[in-house]
Amino acid sequence: MAVRIRLVPCLSDNYAVILHEVDTNTTVLIDAPEAAPIEAALDQAGWKLTHMLITHKHGDHVQGIAALKKKYGATVIGPRGEASEIPMIDSKVAEGDVVSVGNMKAKVFETPGHTAGHIVFWFEQEKLLFAGDTLFALGCGRSFERPASVLWQSILKIRDLPGDTKLYCGHEYTLSNARFSVTVDPKNAALKRRLAEIERARAEGKPTVPSMMQEERETNPFLRPDNTEVAEALGMKGADPAAVFTELRERKNNFKG
Ligand SMILES: [Zn+2]
């Protein structure tokens, strides 16, 4: 069954994603940072929006909902835990729920940390993970509403998804993340190679999203706090992974690069 995917840059560094299932003429938006570029992408493709899947309540993920809902009448599906802050929500979902859109199915994981009610959507069949601001290419979201240790538990829910799963995240933060990553995992040759690839892609104005879960597991320090070399680089050999993760998050918060 054919599924087409469009990555839509919005605002200064956000990404929305549009999935289109050809057989059922189902068109699904993941997060709605800004209506105009999303409408333009839909028009260009000749698709009519049928569903919006929302990962969390932040303005740069929801502020396009109202205009898109008005134009297309699409069904809005979002996190039960912060439903009151998702405009025009029709369906509230939580841990373990399965969202059906056309013939596609997405499993919902609750990933508290960045926000308390954040969710991510995993399309097992299509091998896609929409992680919002929980997990980024070579990074993770800031833990605004729950301690970093809770965000680490959330990330553990998705870390071991199949390696050929494409990770779509909410922002183009990858270059800054990569520059930080090499400071905390300096012996990782795969990471160094990836930094060079990312520098090249960004110099050419190309997106670095999506990435593959396998390469994230090998190079994203926020998936590797239980790796000895990462812990050692932080001077935390033998420490609890949650403590290492918390230290990584702290250092990234203070990283200038
Ligand atoms: Zn956010």
Side-chain angles (χ1 to χ4, degrees):
M1 120 182 87
V3 176
R4 313 231 188 280
I5 305 180
R6 286 202 170 206
L7 184 71
V8 186
C10 295
L11 304 172
S12 60
D13 54 28
N14 280 78
Y15 286 125
V17 183
I18 304 171
L19 292 186
H20 178 75
E21 187 179 49
V22 177
D23 294 356
T24 59
N25 209 20
T26 302
T27 305
V28 184
L29 174 71
I30 294 91
D31 283 341
E34 187 182 16
I38 294 166
E39 284 183 44
L42 289 165
D43 284 350
Q44 196 193 27
W47 299 338
K48 183 183 169 298
L49 194 62
T50 57
H51 301 82
M52 289 185 251
L53 304 186
I54 305 298
T55 60
H56 68 295
K57 66 186 179 181
H58 284 158
D60 62 330
H61 294 255
V62 304
Q63 61 206 12
I65 294 174
L68 294 166
K69 178 94 168 158
K70 191 171 171 210
K71 180 164 178 181
Y72 300 99
T75 303
V76 178
I77 300 161
R80 184 188 295 160
E82 49 199 38
S84 64
E85 292 165 274
I86 311 290
M88 312 179 96
I89 191 166
D90 297 299
S91 175
K92 302 164 190 176
V93 294
E95 179 81 17
D97 285 348
V98 175
V99 177
S100 289
V101 283
N103 289 329
M104 300 182 286
K105 289 187 179 2
K107 187 175 174 190
V108 174
F109 295 95
E110 289 182 349
T111 57
H114 179 71
T115 65
H118 199 300
I119 57 173
V120 304
F121 298 95
W122 176 42
F123 289 75
E124 181 174 11
Q125 185 94 35
E126 291 76 18
K127 301 177 187 288
L128 305 169
L129 174 64
F130 295 98
D133 290 356
T134 290
L135 180 65
F136 294 126
L138 288 177
C140 72
R142 285 184 186 242
S143 50
F144 286 128
E145 295 190 356
R146 287 292 180 271
S149 58
V150 173
L151 177 57
W152 166 236
Q153 292 304 319
S154 295
I155 283 176
L156 277 177
K157 292 184 184 178
I158 53 177
R159 178 171 72 163
D160 294 323
L161 293 181
D164 58 354
T165 304
K166 288 193 176 93
L167 168 67
Y168 281 89
C169 55
H171 291 271
E172 179 61 64
Y173 289 160
T174 317
L175 182 55
S176 164
N177 288 342
R179 288 177 175 156
F180 171 74
S181 296
V182 294
T183 70
V184 293
D185 196 2
K187 293 180 185 165
N188 188 330
L191 172 59
K192 283 180 196 160
R193 283 195 298 274
R194 197 172 167 198
L195 169 61
E197 283 165 20
I198 289 161
E199 284 175 331
R200 200 174 318 124
R202 295 308 294 152
E204 293 169 4
K206 292 179 183 159
T208 61
V209 173
S211 56
M212 305 302 282
M213 282 306 290
Q214 183 63 36
E215 65 178 334
E216 293 302 326
R217 278 199 286 273
E218 289 167 1
T219 54
N220 184 337
F222 292 94
L223 297 181
R224 297 163 55 77
D226 44 4
N227 175 277
T228 314
E229 289 187 352
V230 172
E232 235 165 354
L234 300 186
M236 297 179 76
K237 197 178 172 187
D240 184 70
V244 177
F245 181 91
T246 300
E247 177 65 17
L248 285 168
R249 192 54 267 173
E250 278 297 310
R251 290 195 188 198
K252 179 63 170 76
N253 291 347
N254 298 316
F255 181 72
K256 307 272 182 278

